[in-house]
Amino acid sequence: MATAGKPDWNGCPTRYAAGIVGDKWCFLLLRDALLHGKRTYREFLASPEGISTNILANRLSKLEALGMFTREPDPRKASSVCYFPTQKAKDFLPALVSMMVWATQYDEVTEAPASFAVSYVDDPKGTIAWYEAEMDRVDQALRTG
Amino acid sequence: MATAGKPDWNGCPTRYAAGIVGDKWCFLLLRDALLHGKRTYREFLASPEGISTNILANRLSKLEALGMFTREPDPRKASSVCYFPTQKAKDFLPALVSMMVWATQYDEVTEAPASFAVSYVDDPKGTIAWYEAEMDRVDQALRTG
DNA sequence: CAGATCACTTGCAAAATGCAAGTGGAGATA
DNA sequence: TATCTCCACTTGCATTTTGCAAGTGATCTG
């Protein structure tokens, strides 16, 4: 049916989302992976929010355990490590972009141009597809060395 | 333009969202207000996740300070209090629903019927409109005593 | 006017966080 | 081959946040 009716489940799926996204650092790591193409410990560590090393290690392994990241040797240098977002993580992109649109509207400090929200409203699928393509490009480049 | 290009701002708006949603309890209070029509301290306290009273008071005032809730006397009983979601909070609904859809897909424990995700994909605006109407109904009923 | 209800507040133990320093292994350099 | 650097963490410890239980004062109710 095209018209939504009242859903009558008890345990809301948002509880599951809260367990992952409801943590500042997991949220920001997801942003860095999905939106900024970050893949390595070093890159994640360099975020302007300043995560400390023990918390970073903790959250990376949490996200790995949750099936959001896979931990693999860096094809460019075997001694280094890459964290690749899984399909599960990639599928979170529309929700993340949705939050960006909301934040762009209400955060007066945000540096995002208003044109972002406009282009999203104009063509949400295109906006999301662009980020997906960007991710594929990053991972493709990495995996082929 | 219909095709999205690379956004080139530095401070990502997701940081702002992380400051609000990146907290388990704020996230769940938002869910309770937007999806479950909760408005009073008692109702929020009764969530199955079991928030403690001091944390609840803390988060309610945080969300009020952030302009997500307004704190008003309960029209039904002057000694009681209502927390109404502001427009800013209501505008977060699409992002929240987007996360529900994602969680429904990946949380094997969720009690949400698969039909929810289907009906959302089929008619996202209708799904969101339904929740908005439900909220208006709740607030209307409350404010008119 | 005694008792219940409401929305909190307080005190305290336990857990999570942030910071600085340290560790061990791989690769590069001399 | 010895040393040096880089990397991805780990450890210790002080500070902050959380969770739990109990208490508080203002209002309502019988």
Side-chain angles (χ1 to χ4, degrees), chain B residues 94-108:
Chain B
L96 191 60
V97 170
S98 202
M99 282 188 272
M100 284 173 72
V101 172
W102 175 81
T104 301
Q105 186 179 357
Y106 284 106
D107 177 19
E108 63 236 357

Side-chain angles (χ1 to χ4, degrees), chain B residues 72-81:
Chain B
E72 299 172 32
D74 190 329
R76 298 165 301 187
K77 189 164 39 155
S79 74
S80 191
V81 175

